[in-house]
Every structure is written in C-alpha cells, then in structure tokens.
Amino acid sequence: MREARTLGSWVIAIFLAAMLVCVALDTLAPAVGTRNHLFPLFADTSGIAWFEPTGRFAFGVLEILFALLLLIPLTRRFGAILSVLLMTALAARIIQLMMLQIQIPVDTVGEGGAVTTTESDPGALFYLVIGLLVASLALIFIHPGKDDGQ
C-alpha cells in the first residue's frame, strides 16, 4: 500500500509542479508579442493597483517556489498546502470576474507569428485552477508520511 501511495504522490507532484511552472512562465514571461492580461484585469476590476506588476511577479515566483517544494519528498505536503492557498486565492478572484461577467482578453499566436487578442469566458481558467486545487488537496492526503505503513 505504501508503494502505491508513494507512486501516486510522485505522479501528482510531477503533474502539479509542471503545471505550476507552465503557468508561472506564462505569468512572468509571456510568449513574444503577447502579454498577460489577467493581472491588469484584476487591478482594473478591484481597484488594487499592486496586482500589476507586483502581484503578477509575486504569484509567478510563488508558483515556481511551490513547484520546487512539491518535487522534494520531505517538503511535498507543505508545498501542496501552500499550493491550495494560492489556488484558492486565484479561484476567488476568478469567481469575482465571473460574477461581474467580465471577459478575459487572451492573446494567441497564429501562423507567421501574428498575435490576435480575443475575449474569453473566465470559466476555462476557473476549471484549470479548480483542477490544480483538487490535485493539491489529493496530494496532501495521498503523500505518505514518515510514520505511515509501520
């Protein structure tokens, strides 16, 4: 049983760390010609100016830090708990955007490097954050502790 929990813990931790790094890279260094519209939108809708650029950099650095904590077995559960807190904060902001029926601008890079900006429903982003939140919660309970299995 302990081996299955250890394997499950590694699979979830690697998935969660990869997703956090992917989101952090998009937050900190968007693709050439594109920009991150989410944090300026948070700043505009909330009236809190620190969301852009300070909040964007803080969230990106925290996501990378939490991904590193998830990859180290000794700190994995702590990294998952911190990830739950971060995803809960993001989910709360996205729910507010959904309640205000605000569309999120999204940049896409097409053929020849042409960048187009389209409006997107925040629901897809909400489902991504909820998925990462569920993975973090699962990791908290699946990761075997020091005394499990003895």
Side-chain angles (χ1 to χ4, degrees), residues 35-113:
R35 56 177 243 166
N36 187 307
H37 296 280
L38 188 60
F39 286 90
L41 187 62
F42 286 165
D44 291 342
T45 58
S46 69
I48 301 172
W50 68 266
F51 272 116
E52 178 61 31
T54 308
R56 180 169 55 94
F57 288 124
F59 271 80
V61 169
L62 287 175
E63 287 167 343
I64 290 174
L65 176 67
F66 297 166
L68 291 174
L69 289 174
L70 291 170
L71 293 177
I72 302 169
L74 186 63
T75 61
R76 185 166 295 154
R77 189 168 279 142
F78 182 62
I81 291 168
L82 293 175
S83 180
V84 165
L85 296 174
L86 185 71
M87 291 304 125
T88 303
L90 280 174
R93 280 302 298 145
I94 294 168
I95 287 172
Q96 289 176 348
L97 293 179
M98 291 170 67
M99 291 174 64
L100 295 172
Q101 297 180 348
I102 295 174
Q103 299 291 312
I104 299 174
V106 177
D107 289 345
T108 55
V109 180
E111 289 186 34

